[in-house]
Amino acid sequence: MTQLDAVMAKVRAENRAALIAYIPAGFPSKQGCAKAIQALADAGVDAIEIGFPYSDPVMDGPIIQEAAEISLKGGTNAADVFATLKVATDTGVAAVVMTYWNPIERYGVDQFAQSIADNGGSGVITPDLTIEESDRWLAATIRSQINPIYVVAPSTNDSRLAAVTSKTGGFVYAASLMGVTGTRTTVSSDASNLVSRVRAVSNLPISVGLGVSTREQAKSLAAYADGVIVGSAFIKLLLEAESEEKGLDAISHLAKELALGVREGR
Amino acid sequence: MSSAGRFGEYGGRFVPEALIGALNELEIAHNTAQNDPLFLAELAELHRTYTGRPSIITEAKRFAEYAGGARIFLKREDLNHTGSHKINNVLGQALLTKRMGKKRIIAETGAGQHGVASATAAALMGLDCVVYMGEEDTRRQALNVARMKLLGAEVVPVTSGSRTLKDAINEAMRDWVTNVADTHYLLGTVAGPHPFPTMVRDFHKVIGEEAREQMLALTGRLPDAILACVGGGSNAIGIFNAFIPDSAVRLIGLEAGGDGVETGRHAATITGGTPGVLHGTRSYVLQDANGQTVESHSISAGLDYPGVGPEHAYLHDIGRAEYRAINDDAAMAAFSLLSKTEGIIPAIETAHALAGALVVGRELGPQANLLINLSGRGDKDVQTAAQYFGIPL
Ligand SMILES: Cc1ncc(COP(=O)(O)O)c(C=O)c1O
């Protein structure tokens, strides 16, 4: 049982949803990222996803693309990602890494899974890894006892939902809409439909991501989802802030709001 | 698990789950169409009356004098409507788009040839068309941007990353993830997730099938070597495919060596890259120690891509095909030579294959017959070439 499994069980017992924050390693800077993680943890997020910045992020909209570019220009590498993961787990929250597949393959599949575990991480979200290409990865996650977290989409049909969730650990990442990451003003109605379809085939906790940025949205999702994932909204605040200090204040404020949101949904 | 779309350890699908439904739909549509005489007849008729197939073979006798006296035959894909091999694949996929009931196509383009071909097919079949093109390439290939607009397509300059073909593909994939319900991504080469490498090959294999018969009729035997430039690898696989069982026929792919593979400024993915995953498929990739894609460099926009089709990776590893790099300067010399000895201005992409022929011809000697895929014409490259050779415009 990973720390993430424990967190998802705890929020279920508290009859609420978990708040899960995403931030790319090395953004807004190496030190800034560590401070942002601390600010998010202090503000009450339950889990943190550390993004591995990648040169060709086809699932990401302009906000995360820009953050990844800034991070890569700063020289972020695999070692930095694991160090950042350690910063997150040291705050006491559950932490996972979110990465496109190629950096894992390049690092070494078994070594990557083990480095996640060695740094206290609970699992890895792999948005472009299909279950058909997962044999080596799943074996590695079992050996290192971490959660393989897969993303499902509104277009995923029921039999495939069953197949994908049967390989998944920690939680099922339900993409709220057909599209890339970014902030949206409303949460698509596809989300509740997808969550009920996942519930029909799996007992795993389900976290909803893509487009969530406000307390209201968090509240409405928390009514039926086990976790609410917020990324672009935090990154946008950090990108737009006049100073790092102000950016940290802004994400702390938003995280506190969202933490209220995930507690008022039911 | 399913091994569909694998070429040895290469190929497969590395894509967001959101696209799996569309890829399955496309795979079924393609398999059904390939076994449907009506579809095949419709496509063949379009090729006869619109593309201008079969494309002819021209023997390049004066050019051959510079290639050690080997006989050199050019498969004239440059004479196809829109000026390159790209139309073969585009018409096939556009017909599939209609069969799937989709109304909108999106495409990426580097040199603009695939974009122009896509815009052309969209006009012909009444589909909406959006073409993603790296901002850098919209400048290098301004003429083709205008052509696409004249044909009624929307051209979106891509400003992310290196602003070239790789980033245009990223942007097209983001559009597709968002609009997959009514949109077909008309990918322009034998890369990307399954079924694209197989499907795009199937639409281009007509090149090699025609050429095999034509060469037998012309020379009474199979050629000794077949040469083609390799960006993503579609024109190369198109001419190679029919000859793969003919083990005595050497298959040679010419990659873009840019300033030289040793300088790191090149686009020779198999020659200078390592196995990895890019744009949904496992193949060779230009990447760094962290798995980040490295920017490619080539004077040729159509070859300026840090990936390559998975079937080429496989043919390379099993030794059935060989891949070599041709530097910018050698390609431009061959570009000039073909123009002046044969009266055919080739695309700069194609010039890499011609430069390869000058080397391979000397290696094989005067008894050899070389078949070159003349993948495109050079009209779009006049500005780049004029600049390169110092011709005032
Ligand atoms: C004339 C021509 N040849 C070759 C290529 C490279 O593509 P591929 O390797 O898929 O044939 C292009 C691409 O734009 C092209 O325009």
Side-chain angles (χ1 to χ4, degrees), chain B residues 86-345:
Chain B
K86 297 284 180 187
I87 192 81
N88 302 324
N89 166 48
V90 163
L91 289 177
Q93 286 198 50
L95 284 180
L96 284 182
T97 304
K98 293 218 309 190
R99 284 197 152 202
M100 292 185 293
K102 294 187 172 183
K103 302 273 185 293
R104 176 175 180 264
I105 57 171
I106 54 174
E108 83 295 341
T109 198
Q113 289 305 94
H114 176 59
V116 166
S118 298
T120 299
L124 177 68
M125 300 192 195
L127 301 165
D128 291 335
C129 178
V130 175
V131 180
Y132 291 95
M133 187 168 188
E135 196 183 44
E136 163 87 10
D137 293 336
T138 60
R139 274 190 291 105
R140 284 197 278 195
Q141 308 284 339
L143 191 65
N144 270 343
V145 175
R147 283 171 84 195
M148 289 183 265
K149 289 183 177 165
L150 289 170
L151 289 161
E154 182 190 343
V155 180
V156 181
V158 174
T159 55
S160 56
S162 60
R163 299 164 191 236
T164 61
L165 182 55
K166 153 180 110 67
D167 308 282
I169 295 177
N170 291 341
E171 213 50 47
M173 289 184 69
R174 292 182 188 115
D175 180 320
W176 204 30
V177 167
T178 309
N179 300 303
V180 66
D182 71 345
T183 297
H184 173 60
Y185 179 14
L186 210 163
L187 187 68
T189 191
V190 285
H194 178 64
F196 284 106
T198 303
M199 176 179 67
V200 176
R201 178 199 66 203
D202 288 346
F203 287 136
H204 279 304
K205 69 184 182 191
V206 63
I207 304 171
E209 288 167 357
E210 288 174 6
R212 199 171 183 283
E213 279 185 29
Q214 288 166 319
M215 288 300 289
L216 286 172
L218 265 169
T219 67
R221 63 185 181 93
L222 294 175
D224 299 289
I226 300 177
L227 293 91
C229 65
V230 176
S234 67
N235 87 88
I237 213 76
I239 198 160
F240 287 176
N241 187 69
F243 296 92
I244 289 175
D246 304 312
S247 55
V249 179
R250 283 174 65 180
L251 307 176
I252 305 174
L254 289 310
E255 301 191 300
D259 292 345
V261 174
E262 69 289 350
T263 67
R265 291 178 50 83
H266 64 87
T269 310
I270 293 179
T271 311
T274 46
V277 169
L278 176 64
H279 293 146
T281 190
R282 180 184 285 114
S283 185
Y284 281 78
V285 181
L286 299 181
Q287 58 180 329
D288 70 13
N290 286 288
Q292 308 290 350
T293 311
V294 170
E295 281 180 29
S296 55
H297 294 275
S298 170
I299 191 168
S300 147
L303 303 183
D304 201 351
Y305 179 56
V308 65
E311 191 169 4
H312 286 292
Y314 175 68
L315 292 173
H316 167 266
D317 282 13
I318 63 168
R320 180 61 191 96
E322 51 194 292
Y323 297 84
R324 307 182 183 196
I326 297 292
N327 297 357
D328 285 352
D329 290 341
M332 293 312 289
F335 174 97
S336 171
L337 186 63
L338 191 78
S339 302
K340 288 179 178 153
T341 56
E342 301 292 341
I344 298 171
I345 300 179

